Amino acid sequence: MTTADALNTVDSSQPTLRVRRARAFRRPGLLWMTALLYTISFAAFVAFIVFGARMYFEANKQMGIYALIAIGVMVFTRIWAALNSRNLTCHLCMGTVLHEKSCHKHAGAKKLPLLSYRTTAVLSTLFGLVFTCMYCGSPYRLKK
């Protein structure tokens, strides 16, 4: 037996593991933008805390203006993201992808330690272009 024949033969005694490719999400642009809005909202909240603390400890009115701008940005982006997230549904279970409800989550749903299911989905959407539905556990990808 030559080396080429050895490479082309398949060992039938070993079970083959089949991994299914993640499904393509139908509205990837809106999902990514909504995840970005949630991230901007969190960053604006942190900026509000920082500028509010600086205003209090330094008695600087300019920091108070920055804190008010930050809270305005947070409220605006949070409302916009909430409106968008109600329209983003999983195509299998019809659950809202980035709008967390109080119902039970799927055992296969991914969750990072100390973070919520939605935060995990937002981070994986922004940085990995993939996410897992928290209600049915189906993996999705944003690229075709």
Side-chain angles (χ1 to χ4, degrees), residues 20-71:
R20 187 165 215 188
R21 188 173 179 203
R23 300 173 186 273
F25 195 72
R26 292 184 189 153
R27 300 174 79 186
L30 185 63
L31 178 69
W32 193 84
M33 186 184 76
T34 305
L36 183 65
L37 287 172
Y38 275 122
T39 306
I40 291 170
S41 174
F42 178 73
F45 179 70
V46 171
F48 168 72
I49 298 293
V50 169
F51 290 137
R54 286 186 66 188
M55 177 195 69
Y56 180 75
F57 291 119
E58 296 174 3
N60 187 350
K61 290 183 180 181
Q62 187 69 28
M63 293 298 136
I65 293 171
Y66 293 153
L68 287 176
I69 290 171
I71 199 74

Side-chain angles (χ1 to χ4, degrees), residues 18-123:
R18 295 188 61 166
V19 178
R20 187 165 215 188
R21 188 173 179 203
R23 300 173 186 273
F25 195 72
R26 292 184 189 153
R27 300 174 79 186
L30 185 63
L31 178 69
W32 193 84
M33 186 184 76
T34 305
L36 183 65
L37 287 172
Y38 275 122
T39 306
I40 291 170
S41 174
F42 178 73
F45 179 70
V46 171
F48 168 72
I49 298 293
V50 169
F51 290 137
R54 286 186 66 188
M55 177 195 69
Y56 180 75
F57 291 119
E58 296 174 3
N60 187 350
K61 290 183 180 181
Q62 187 69 28
M63 293 298 136
I65 293 171
Y66 293 153
L68 287 176
I69 290 171
I71 199 74
V73 167
M74 186 202 74
V75 167
F76 177 73
T77 56
R78 191 71 164 185
I79 290 172
W80 192 7
L83 291 175
N84 283 347
S85 69
R86 290 188 183 268
N87 296 326
L88 294 169
T89 57
C90 173
H91 309 302
L92 294 176
C93 68
M94 302 309 286
T96 53
V97 175
L98 293 180
H99 187 77
E100 203 162 354
K101 297 184 273 187
S102 62
C103 57
H104 290 286
K105 309 303 186 264
H106 192 269
K110 295 188 177 164
K111 180 178 174 272
L112 294 173
L114 301 176
L115 296 178
S116 68
Y117 286 100
R118 177 175 53 192
T119 306
T120 303
V122 164
L123 292 176

